Amino acid sequence: MLSIHDLHVSVGGTPILKGLTLELPAGQVHAVMGPNGAGKSTLSYALGGRPGYEVTAGSVTLDGQDLLAMDVDERAAAGLFLGFQYPVAIPGVSNLHFIRAALNAQRKARGEAELSAADLMRRAREKAKLVELPAELLKRAVNDGFSGGEKKRNEIFQMAMIEPRLAILDETDSGLDIDALRVVAGGVNALRGPDRAMLVITHYQRLLDHIVPDVVHVLVDGRIVESGDKDLALRLEREGYESARTEAQREVRA
Amino acid sequence: MSLLDTLASAPPRQGALAPLGVEAAATLQELGLPMKKTEAWRFTSVRELVSADLAPAPLELAPTAAPPSGHDVVSFRGGHARFVAPGATTLVLGRLGDGAGSEHLRVGAAFAALNSALFADGVVARVTGAHESPLFFDYEGIAGHAAYPRALVVLEANAELTLVERFRGQSSLTSAVLEVVLGPGAKLTHLRTHEDEGALLGAVDVRQARDSVYASHVFSFGGAPARLDLGVHLEGEGAECRLDGVYVAAGATHLDHHVRVDHRAPRSRSAMRYRGLARERATAIFDGQSHVHPGAVGCEAHQQNRNLLVDPTATVHTKPHLEIHVDEVVASHGATVGALDEDALFYARSRGLPESEARALLTYAFLKELVDAVDGQGGSALRAAMRDALLSQLPGGEALGALEEELS
Ligand SMILES: Nc1ncnc2c1ncn2[C@@H]1O[C@H](COP(=O)(O)OP(=O)(O)O)[C@@H](O)[C@H]1O
Ligand SMILES: [Mg+2]
């Protein structure tokens, strides 16, 4: 579904991603782990098309379409969803209003009919329950005055409303206590399915106890240095990222 | 006719209003009308206005139809007012020329003084107790004529009123003066919309007794120029004012807000929040002044002005200013001129909103926060009306309005 090949990304002229290759088939959940500053958020922003994240080489396709040639909103309409590490507050726009605007825009871009107000409300109530987002937060301004946990749950709520083909979740676990983590993971797991793929970016192994990945990739200094099954995450937890780094260097030398 | 000729040929006023006219004419003869070199008028040129015919529109231009019944409405046309007697006992409408309330009238400065010299008659509204429904002042500006509408609103102790002023039309020159006197514990919610596409110069002067509350919501969407001089005098202990303003300047529009609060009593509170945007070749000006005078201890004075500068051809001038002469004061001020938040823009776009829609949504959100702050009698209907008025000024506003419908 998602094919990233030899991706190079610079921010402000500084190379951050330095030849990243990753294959994510439909129906799978992959985790990307790595130390702070490795380029994990850069990867998600580059895939999302954030201004300032300059792709200098490489290719990315989503279902065979050239993702990098699309505008930010076209990527969303093509099925990409970004869960933000730091969700942004938008005072003055209610959560419901915002998600309705997003859904309508995506549907319009795909030539589909708008969702009726009644359908939207029904779906919103159902999905809010899924991530235990209090109903009154639907009427509040987007992420405005939300706690850290509420913001992350709101990201998963939006994902559940949008039902994207590909979700990239950037450190959705950071700042969550164990109960909130379980709720967020439950929301993510509910969306797993044969037609959907997810890239779960995390710094810690503990999220992967709840969202069990098919593949774990280790991202160090702008490259995937090692990939393996879920046990790789446990080893990283024990031994740290240094082991992956040195192992990768050994491979390069060999 | 020039200023001096106009003053000379104005019919002499009779009765209680006579001294005001004499004093105003003397002020104008001495000081003239402001020119660009006057600091307060630095950014708003009135040269063309002053050189045009300043004679008041004739009485024949007064409203021909009575205002609609069922609401308390005063209609002004060419500066001349028409109204019917209110049904409720909490509100009395009268003519300034009959002498009621004339002791409250002040000459004012610049164009307010011109109004004081030239208004033919004015309206006085007196409120006792809580008046249930809004009082509307509708002003229709007429091309080719100068107009000097004048009004006085007096709230007795503990009275409550929502006043809605609407300026529309295409004034050649309207110089409107409103004076407000709030008795102890009185509460006035005041909405004012500037949609007149002509030249509108307005002065609002508010005097507040102890524990009174004045909530002002100004919405400026039109005017070339539209100038507001809003002055609030916190004269009684514990008096409070909240002064919100929203402006959208586009095309040839020139919107100038001068807002001044004078704290003259202990524990009085003021908060100014003005937000707006300027696009195309329009100009927006905010000048905020808060003065805390000696003896006004324990006051709170806040000022905030935030501007979105949409196009490089648009202009924003902002000048927040605090002057404090006592020690125990909580005060803050700040002004920003900038573009939309890039993080929020990317966030909205990443959810599927095309860039133009994302910009429209964020712009609307930025201004709508101040629409949401409107309350008072009939608050929800007024908020809806203000929201629609705001949306009609914004690109993509109709689609934004539709998004908000029927969601509850
Ligand atoms: N907007 C930016 N401007 C400058 N440097 C940036 C920016 N975003 C990221 N970087 C740099 O890129 C590197 C990778 O950052 P990031 O992708 O946020 O890492 P991670 O998410 O893995 O912690 C870091 O060295 C960071 O300082
Ligand atoms: Mg990160």
Side-chain angles (χ1 to χ4, degrees):
Chain A
M1 176 185 285
L2 177 70
S3 295
I4 307 174
H5 182 71
D6 193 29
L7 184 66
H8 291 253
V9 174
S10 292
V11 181
T14 308
I16 307 292
L17 297 186
K18 303 164 183 170
L20 186 146
T21 296
L22 192 155
E23 201 66 41
L24 173 56
Q28 294 201 358
V29 172
H30 288 198
V32 173
M33 301 184 71
N36 274 329
K40 303 184 298 295
S41 292
T42 302
L43 173 62
S44 81
Y45 286 145
L47 294 179
R50 183 169 192 142
Y53 289 73
E54 193 197 348
V55 176
T56 53
S59 66
V60 180
T61 61
L62 174 60
D63 293 322
Q65 289 178 279
D66 181 1
L67 196 69
L68 300 177
M70 298 181 202
D71 266 347
V72 178
D73 56 298
E74 292 170 342
R75 298 180 197 209
L80 174 67
F81 177 88
L82 283 191
F84 281 56
Q85 182 172 0
Y86 304 106
V88 182
I90 309 183
V93 184
S94 85
N95 238 339
L96 271 175
H97 180 180
F98 185 65
I99 197 67
R100 187 186 206 185
L103 281 170
N104 282 356
Q106 291 199 18
R107 286 169 159 258
K108 191 171 159 198
R110 291 192 294 258
E112 297 165 12
E114 285 186 359
L115 213 55
S116 75
D119 283 345
L120 181 95
M121 289 306 299
R122 191 179 38 72
R123 206 153 123 186
R125 275 192 284 266
E126 178 192 320
K127 303 302 184 189
K129 202 170 286 172
L130 174 73
V131 293
E132 297 179 21
L133 190 72
E136 71 259 22
L137 291 191
L138 294 178
K139 289 188 186 157
R140 285 248 305 272
V142 181
N143 294 325
D144 192 24
F146 285 26
S147 71
E150 286 168 344
K151 284 183 187 170
K152 295 302 175 77
R153 266 182 278 171
N154 200 23
E155 291 293 282
I156 305 304
F157 163 75
Q158 291 181 26
M159 174 174 81
M161 288 296 286
I162 290 171
E163 299 183 329
R165 238 174 103 59
L166 169 65
I168 297 167
L169 303 177
D170 189 2
E171 300 216 21
T172 300
D173 52 331
S174 64
L176 294 187
D177 64 28
I178 193 70
D179 288 329
L181 189 69
R182 231 194 320 265
V183 170
V184 163
V188 172
N189 286 329
L191 282 161
R192 289 178 84 149
D195 295 329
R196 189 167 288 136
M198 297 192 196
L199 199 60
V200 177
I201 294 172
T202 182
H203 188 67
Y204 300 106
Q205 183 275 334
R206 61 172 194 166
L207 178 68
L208 305 181
D209 287 340
H210 301 276
I211 305 173
V212 180
D214 297 294
V215 178
V216 174
H217 305 279
V218 184
L219 174 58
V220 178
D221 194 23
R223 287 185 197 89
I224 303 288
V225 294
E226 193 176 357
S227 301
D229 65 9
K230 63 181 187 338
D231 294 336
L232 174 56
L234 290 168
R235 199 196 83 210
L236 290 171
E237 183 83 351
R238 267 195 327 271
E239 299 174 11
Y241 292 108
E242 270 315 302
S243 69
R245 201 195 305 262
T246 46
E247 211 153 286
Q249 278 159 355
R250 254 199 313 280
E251 265 171 48
V252 171
R253 253 181 263 124
Chain B
M1 252 189 301
S2 73
L3 172 63
L4 294 181
D5 293 340
T6 306
L7 292 174
S9 62
R13 274 214 200 100
Q14 310 297 323
L17 297 178
L20 186 78
V22 170
E23 193 188 335
T27 302
L28 288 164
Q29 271 151 7
E30 188 192 335
L31 301 175
L33 285 169
M35 290 297 168
K36 218 163 178 173
K37 54 182 183 283
T38 317
E39 173 62 24
W41 292 83
R42 194 150 71 99
F43 298 117
T44 299
S45 168
V46 290
R47 211 174 40 164
E48 266 177 52
L49 299 179
V50 172
S51 56
D53 187 0
L54 295 173
L59 194 56
E60 297 82 75
L61 288 171
T64 46
S69 58
H71 299 280
D72 298 315
V73 181
V74 179
S75 299
F76 291 87
R77 193 162 186 273
H80 306 292
R82 186 159 177 175
F83 56 86
V84 293
T89 55
T90 42
L91 173 67
V92 177
L93 291 174
R95 297 270 173 192
L96 282 172
D98 297 337
S102 58
E103 73 276 13
H104 293 300
L105 300 180
R106 305 272 188 278
V107 168
F111 290 93
L114 187 63
N115 175 294
S116 291
L118 297 178
F119 76 84
D121 198 356
V123 170
V124 51
R126 189 175 290 276
V127 186
T128 51
H131 190 61
E132 294 287 331
S133 56
L135 169 63
F136 294 91
F137 286 179
D138 283 339
Y139 301 86
E140 185 187 345
I142 307 172
H145 292 280
Y148 302 96
R150 181 82 176 212
L152 169 68
V153 173
V154 180
L155 269 64
E156 307 283 6
N158 301 313
E160 286 180 32
L161 178 71
T162 296
L163 171 67
V164 182
E165 288 189 290
R166 300 182 286 210
F167 289 86
R168 296 184 191 138
Q170 264 130 15
S171 298
S172 289
L173 170 65
T174 291
S175 168
V177 175
L178 169 70
E179 283 165 281
V180 173
V181 178
L182 299 183
K187 184 172 191 298
L188 178 68
T189 299
H190 179 196
L191 274 75
R192 179 168 166 122
T193 55
H194 298 145
E195 290 175 296
D196 191 319
E197 285 154 18
L200 173 63
L201 306 170
V204 175
D205 190 74
V206 182
R207 283 154 244 152
Q208 294 188 238
R210 122 185 101 70
D211 296 328
S212 61
V213 179
Y214 174 61
S216 162
H217 306 273
V218 174
F219 296 88
S220 294
F221 302 135
R227 158 86 175 215
L228 173 66
D229 283 275
L230 169 59
V232 180
H233 307 269
L234 299 170
E235 294 168 347
E237 181 163 354
E240 178 186 352
C241 66
R242 296 191 296 270
L243 312 175
D244 285 354
V246 172
Y247 44 90
V248 178
T253 303
H254 180 109
L255 304 175
D256 182 350
H257 297 94
H258 273 61
V259 185
R260 176 177 171 134
V261 178
D262 284 276
H263 289 260
R264 295 187 188 275
R267 282 164 288 286
S268 50
R269 293 191 300 277
S270 69
M272 285 178 206
R273 277 191 306 180
Y274 272 67
R275 280 191 196 179
L277 70 89
R279 56 193 175 91
E280 297 161 354
R281 58 209 163 87
T283 300
I285 297 144
F286 173 80
D287 184 300
Q289 305 237 8
S290 303
H291 295 249
V292 181
H293 295 272
V297 292
C299 286
E300 247 186 81
H302 300 286
Q303 288 183 5
Q304 189 200 65
N305 176 228
R306 293 173 61 191
N307 296 279
L308 282 179
L309 192 57
V310 179
D311 295 310
T313 46
T315 307
V316 169
H317 299 286
T318 175
K319 193 177 140 199
H321 180 76
L322 289 170
E323 206 172 298
I324 295 172
H325 297 283
V326 285
D327 290 336
E328 301 161 56
V329 170
V330 181
S332 67
H333 68 152
T336 59
V337 181
L340 288 171
D341 177 28
E342 289 295 329
D343 289 341
L345 200 54
F346 177 65
Y347 189 67
R349 294 175 70 200
S350 81
R351 295 295 183 254
L353 290 169
E355 183 170 353
S356 61
E357 280 180 40
R359 285 187 183 280
L361 179 69
L362 295 179
T363 303
Y364 173 51
F366 169 69
L367 300 174
K368 185 173 159 276
E369 274 193 283
L370 297 192
V371 175
D372 292 341
V374 173
D375 59 8
Q377 290 97 331
S380 66
L382 295 174
R383 275 194 300 279
M386 288 305 112
R387 193 201 68 154
D388 290 348
L390 173 59
L391 285 169
S392 73
Q393 300 297 323
L394 300 176
E398 203 172 316
L400 288 170
L403 280 174
E404 281 186 317
E405 300 297 334
E406 339 152 36
L407 287 188
S408 53

